[in-house]
Amino acid sequence: MVKASRVMNVPAQALFDMLIESVIYDIKQSTGKTVRPANFKKGTNYRKRIKTNAKGQKGVSVKVTVTELESPRIYEAKFEGGNDSYTVIRYEIEQLSEEGDQDGDYIRVTYTEDYNDVSKLAKPVRGFQKLIAKNNFKRTLKGMEESVKENMKLKEERAAEKENAKNGDSSSDGE
């Protein structure tokens, strides 16, 4: 199992929503089907191709199933390949500060990835992958935090522009 954790200064719901939007985008890219956030729930599944490092291969087809979903705390999915091999990924979000705290919204995000490889050849490779993966996951979590902050900033700027436009329109009517 690989586990990485990071404390972030973003609202739990904003991070969770970004994560779900990313999965919905993956479904669209993999299947061509559009899933609305309201219809995204535990049990949602789809097939996708995952790239392999082997030259000349197009990748491996896997079935992805949402196995746990609790907004804004838990997202878990199982990726099933052939031969009874599977990987389970899980994001757990823990609120560390009170909502609306003057110091900000602090959360802890814990990402875990657990493997069930039946191939004897996969076990030594998996051990090496775990060493690399932990650092990659830490970078990924940092990138997620930065993306949420950027999205929140853009939403605030758009809201301010709308408010300014609204106020500018009403003041010019009286002249």
Side-chain angles (χ1 to χ4, degrees):
M1 177 192 294
V2 176
K3 187 174 187 177
S5 189
R6 179 176 177 84
V7 173
M8 300 181 183
N9 185 9
V10 296
Q13 191 65 56
L15 179 72
F16 189 83
D17 290 348
M18 188 189 80
L19 179 62
I20 299 308
E21 287 171 14
S22 172
V23 176
I24 288 173
Y25 178 79
D26 188 43
I27 293 170
K28 176 76 173 172
Q29 293 298 106
S30 299
T31 67
K33 295 179 183 175
T34 301
V35 176
R36 298 179 61 161
N39 297 334
F40 186 79
K41 59 187 182 255
K42 181 178 176 180
T44 297
N45 66 72
Y46 62 102
R47 293 201 74 78
K48 70 177 280 179
R49 284 198 124 8
I50 295 179
K51 293 179 185 176
T52 63
N53 290 332
K55 287 188 177 186
Q57 287 192 358
K58 292 182 181 178
V60 180
S61 178
V62 296
K63 179 182 177 185
V64 182
T65 304
V66 178
T67 52
E68 195 170 346
L69 188 67
E70 184 184 323
S71 178
R73 294 184 351 91
I74 299 169
Y75 168 76
E76 182 181 272
K78 184 176 187 178
F79 293 71
E80 297 174 272
N83 304 329
D84 294 326
S85 294
Y86 63 86
T87 300
V88 176
I89 66 162
R90 179 180 180 94
Y91 287 88
E92 234 173 293
I93 302 170
E94 175 188 3
Q95 190 71 44
L96 299 177
S97 64
E98 295 294 320
E99 194 172 327
D101 189 321
Q102 67 182 16
D103 293 329
D105 291 308
Y106 285 93
I107 59 174
R108 176 178 294 115
V109 181
T110 303
Y111 175 86
T112 55
E113 194 168 292
D114 200 7
Y115 313 96
N116 178 37
D117 289 322
V118 292
S119 164
K120 289 181 181 177
L121 293 174
K123 290 183 189 211
V125 172
R126 186 64 72 198
F128 179 69
Q129 286 176 331
K130 285 179 185 180
L131 291 173
I132 296 169
K134 189 167 187 170
N135 287 329
N136 288 341
F137 297 139
K138 286 181 178 181
R139 279 194 299 273
T140 298
L141 291 174
K142 182 180 183 196
M144 289 172 68
E145 178 181 20
E146 291 168 358
S147 291
V148 169
K149 286 180 177 179
E150 185 64 29
N151 286 342
M152 290 171 59
K153 183 179 173 186
L154 288 172
K155 285 179 183 178
E156 287 174 8
E157 289 172 357
R158 286 187 196 127
E161 287 173 6
K162 282 184 180 180
E163 188 62 30
N164 289 340
K166 182 179 168 185
N167 291 338
D169 290 343
S170 64
S171 64
S172 64
D173 291 342
E175 291 181 22

